[in-house]
Amino acid sequence: MLTDAKVRAAKARPKPYKLTDCYRLYLLVNPNGSKLWRWSYAFDGKQKSLALGIFPMVSLAAARCKRDEARELLEQGRDPVIVKQLTFATNLEVSRYTFERAACEWHENTKATWAKVHAADVIRSLERDVFPKIGKFPVVELNPPKILEVLQAIEARGAIETAKRVRQRISAVFCYAIAKGLASTDPAEKLGTVLKPIRKGKQPAITDLRRLRKMILDAEEDYARPITRLALRLLALTAVRPNELRGARWDEFEDLNGAKPLWRIPAARMKGDLDRKAEERGEHLVPMTPQGVAVLRALWPLTGDCELLFPGNRFPNRPMSENAIGYLLNRAGYHGHHVPHGFRAAFSTIMNEWVERHGKDHDRQVIDLMLAHIPKEKVEGAYNRAAYMPRRRELAMIWADMLSEGLPSPTVLIERPAKPIGEKPRRRMPLPVGADFQFPEPGRAA
């Protein structure tokens, strides 16, 4: 048997020679002085040799341990050389399987189940917040502290909700890698409990005009009842509260065929306490633009024989579901980015920016009137809801013109599918009314 002293004392000779140990372990001494550990064994009737390392990096004791591990494989009917080669190849593949590679594979595999906007948002968030920090790391090398470092960097800029969404996406990537056998744990799984809580406050809203138009386009291209699409468009144009839109009745509209169409929302349907709802002349006046009237014109063949503009799918005497528009926005990929109530914030932000550059005196107060906001210094009875009507019409037109740029005609929206492709529609939608159509005028003159 060999000893450490014999191994260290072995000198180079003109030709290679062996110093043998027990159980076929030997040290190969080369003419250049290198000393290599080898183990000789027979597998499937063939004589083979397994390299175990170089002395002194691998000591005699370590070489014997490696030999014993190889003998166990041999007793299991496995060739130690093949096992070593496969292990090396697997480890090499694992080291090459970076987080960015895993994330891109996961995204490509999953995006068909998402709306295009959402799929783009997912990969964009990873490219912006994750890949620069951990994209080149092998997934097996990443641990919870490293993932937390990425998420806390997102929190540091105030994007608390984004940090939570990114954590979910990172976790999904690790689940995908685990399923492929290239990771064993998900280091992001438990990190949700240590992230900052989301502060409850303003509802999410897109307040950039170009993004807002893009969102409307995306939502209107998704499957939905035509009534829901038209409700979304009218909500965006009028910036009323979603519940005020859901309960809209045809007899609340005046002069739809004339020059000054108007929507008179009764005080009883407005937000406020019982005093506000019972207040005489407390209705909210909404000047209707040509774009808004065009929505009503497209809607008339669908619900003109009902009291409500937007009745429910099952009960025509009840308003549409309060979640219908929100679900449409979510399906289009805008969950957490914009809610139906967000059109009011969008109108306020965009129009206040516009009046700052191009507006007149009192335009900010006019915008508040258009949103049915009551100034803090005013009491209900002293608040003139019919004030500044000519200017309100002008600002409503400016808003409608800006918002409608690039949007299709409302009549197009009733022709789009109400259900996902492949599902049979319930019934054929009525054709839109002609350009010479005249609304009945049951209400008061504007």
Side-chain angles (χ1 to χ4, degrees):
M1 290 179 58
L2 290 174
T3 64
D4 286 331
K6 288 181 180 180
V7 172
R8 285 193 298 270
K11 304 295 183 183
R13 299 175 184 176
K15 292 183 178 181
Y17 68 96
K18 300 177 182 179
L19 295 176
T20 60
D21 193 52
C22 57
Y23 301 111
R24 296 189 177 185
L25 175 66
Y26 63 90
L27 182 71
L28 178 64
V29 183
N30 288 314
N32 61 3
S34 64
K35 301 174 183 180
L36 311 176
W37 292 110
R38 294 287 187 268
W39 180 57
S40 179
Y41 69 101
F43 182 81
D44 196 21
K46 297 179 181 179
Q47 199 66 30
K48 306 186 77 171
S49 177
L50 175 67
L52 301 178
I54 304 172
F55 181 84
M57 288 181 286
V58 177
S59 67
L60 173 59
R64 287 171 176 169
C65 287
K66 290 188 174 187
R67 173 204 60 196
D68 293 342
E69 291 172 357
R71 288 180 66 195
E72 289 182 8
L73 293 173
L74 193 60
E75 289 174 359
Q76 297 169 12
R78 303 170 67 189
D79 186 343
V81 168
I82 299 300
V83 172
K84 180 180 179 180
Q85 291 173 349
L86 290 176
T87 301
F88 180 84
T90 299
N91 291 340
L92 183 62
E93 174 63 17
V94 166
S95 68
R96 290 173 175 170
Y97 199 70
T98 63
F99 181 85
E100 182 171 348
R101 177 180 168 186
C104 290
E105 286 183 8
W106 164 77
H107 183 266
E108 185 67 26
N109 185 65
T110 313
K111 68 179 184 181
T113 64
W114 298 328
K116 290 183 179 180
V117 170
H118 180 65
D121 179 69
V122 169
I123 195 64
R124 191 184 306 115
S125 70
L126 295 174
E127 290 172 343
R128 180 188 62 230
D129 297 321
V130 183
F131 293 168
K133 293 181 173 63
I134 62 171
K136 303 305 179 185
F137 283 75
V139 290
V140 295
E141 301 295 336
L142 290 168
N143 54 31
K146 191 64 180 177
I147 304 299
L148 183 60
E149 182 183 315
V150 173
L151 300 175
Q152 287 178 334
I154 301 173
E155 287 183 330
R157 67 171 192 258
I160 308 301
E161 188 172 350
T162 298
K164 292 185 178 295
R165 288 199 303 271
V166 169
R167 186 208 66 79
Q168 293 171 344
R169 292 163 187 174
I170 292 175
S171 184
V173 172
F174 275 101
C175 289
Y176 175 81
I178 291 170
K180 291 195 67 176
L182 293 168
S184 57
T185 60
D186 174 12
E189 181 182 10
K190 305 295 185 181
L191 295 182
T193 59
V194 298
L195 295 178
K196 295 178 180 179
I198 297 176
R199 296 176 182 174
K200 295 183 179 180
K202 294 182 179 179
Q203 301 189 66
I206 293 175
T207 57
D208 175 79
L209 183 60
R210 298 179 72 178
R211 289 185 61 212
L212 190 67
R213 286 195 295 247
K214 178 68 166 57
M215 182 200 67
I216 295 172
L217 280 170
D218 291 337
E220 291 178 347
E221 289 175 355
D222 212 316
Y223 67 90
R225 295 172 64 213
I227 290 174
T228 306
R229 292 195 191 95
L230 293 171
L232 173 70
R233 179 73 71 89
L234 191 62
L235 185 66
L237 287 167
T238 58
V240 297
R241 296 179 178 90
N243 280 342
E244 294 160 6
L245 180 96
R246 290 175 53 242
R249 302 168 63 94
W250 284 106
D251 60 10
E252 294 173 0
F253 292 85
E254 306 169 9
D255 199 28
L256 292 180
N257 300 313
K260 297 179 179 180
L262 186 72
W263 180 9
R264 192 184 297 267
I265 305 177
R269 294 208 305 106
M270 295 298 296
K271 178 182 178 181
D273 55 23
L274 294 177
D275 290 338
R276 164 68 192 271
K277 294 178 182 294
E279 183 185 348
E280 186 179 355
R281 304 297 295 176
E283 66 268 278
H284 176 45
L285 306 181
V286 182
M288 295 297 293
T289 61
Q291 293 91 335
V293 174
V295 173
L296 300 182
R297 192 180 297 275
L299 184 64
W300 181 264
L302 304 179
T303 67
D305 56 349
C306 302
E307 292 182 349
L308 296 167
L309 271 70
F310 304 107
N313 195 24
R314 299 176 62 184
F315 303 103
N317 60 330
R318 299 181 188 176
M320 67 189 300
S321 167
E322 61 181 348
N323 298 317
I325 299 177
Y327 285 161
L328 175 56
L329 294 173
N330 292 348
R331 286 197 303 272
Y334 290 90
H335 177 70
H337 295 266
H338 195 90
V339 295
H341 196 86
F343 286 112
R344 292 172 60 79
F347 172 81
S348 177
T349 300
I350 294 169
M351 287 306 295
N352 273 300
E353 290 176 353
W354 184 89
V355 300
E356 187 174 340
R357 298 188 301 270
H358 311 291
K360 301 178 180 179
D361 292 343
H362 309 300
D363 272 353
R364 292 189 181 277
Q365 293 92 318
V366 174
I367 290 173
D368 282 340
L369 270 172
M370 296 173 75
L371 291 167
H373 289 165
I374 300 173
K376 294 180 179 179
E377 67 275 8
K378 297 268 188 178
V379 295
E380 291 280 350
Y383 185 52
N384 184 1
R385 292 183 175 82
Y388 300 106
M389 185 54 69
R391 185 56 176 166
R392 287 159 72 174
R393 287 194 179 277
E394 291 174 1
L395 292 180
M397 274 300 309
I398 292 168
W399 168 248
D401 289 344
M402 290 194 299
L403 185 70
S404 300
E405 183 179 339
L407 298 183
S409 166
T411 57
V412 173
L413 305 184
I414 68 174
E415 300 166 359
R416 290 177 174 170
K419 288 185 170 291
I421 296 174
E423 291 191 25
K424 186 177 180 181
R426 289 189 178 182
R427 62 186 178 89
R428 184 180 179 85
M429 288 294 108
L431 294 175
V433 298
D436 56 349
F437 171 78
Q438 295 288 303
F439 286 100
E441 285 286 355
R444 294 165 288 186

